């Protein structure tokens, strides 16, 4: 698969690893839009949020759990942070491999980039 996030998950392309377990992986975004910008991905390929199925419930739960855990580790929880999933063209999704953005470290604007 030529998808860049698939290559990252399978360790064919390097990334700045933040967290990894049997279900998810988290790493720094290559082009951060806030002082903390971390991507959280499932190890199982899912193209978009629109492709999730009931069998993915546990993975999705883990993604959220890990996101909150990283936010605590990075001390983002005190002032808050944003978690974003872009879905398909109108959601401005660029990489078609499901991922969540953890954004922290700046005053929030309601607009997402
Ligand atoms: P999307 O618009 O699909 O929700 O977000 C894709 C994100 O992936 C962007 O924030 C972009 O900067 C990031 N990204 C694209 N290619 C790479 C890469 O090769 N490595 C890392 N770490 N992030 C990437």
């Amino acid at each position: 698969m030529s998808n860049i996030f698939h290559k990252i998950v399978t360790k064919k392309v390097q990334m700045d690893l933040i967290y990894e377990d049997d279900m998810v992986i988290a790493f720094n975004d290559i082009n951060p839009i806030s002082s903390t910008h971390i991507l959280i991905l499932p190890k199982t390929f899912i193209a978009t949020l629109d492709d999730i199925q009931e069998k993915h419930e546990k993975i999705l739960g883990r993604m959220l759990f890990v996101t909150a855990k990283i936010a605590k580790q990075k001390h983002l929880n005190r002032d808050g942070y944003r978690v974003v999933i872009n879905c398909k063209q109108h959601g401005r999704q660029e990489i078609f491999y499901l991922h969540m953005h953890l954004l922290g470290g700046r005053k929030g604007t309601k607009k997402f980039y």
Side-chain angles (χ1 to χ4, degrees), residues 4-5 27-31 86 92 94-95 99 101 113:
I4 184 66
F5 283 177
F27 51 89
N28 281 321
D29 195 292
I30 204 167
N31 187 23
N86 297 321
R92 297 198 199 168
E94 287 172 13
I95 312 272
H99 54 282
H101 297 253
Y113 72 111

Side-chain angles (χ1 to χ4, degrees), residues 63-75:
M63 286 172 73
L64 271 176
F65 180 76
V66 163
T67 300
K69 186 172 165 172
I70 294 170
K72 278 196 182 72
Q73 283 170 353
K74 300 281 178 189
H75 306 291

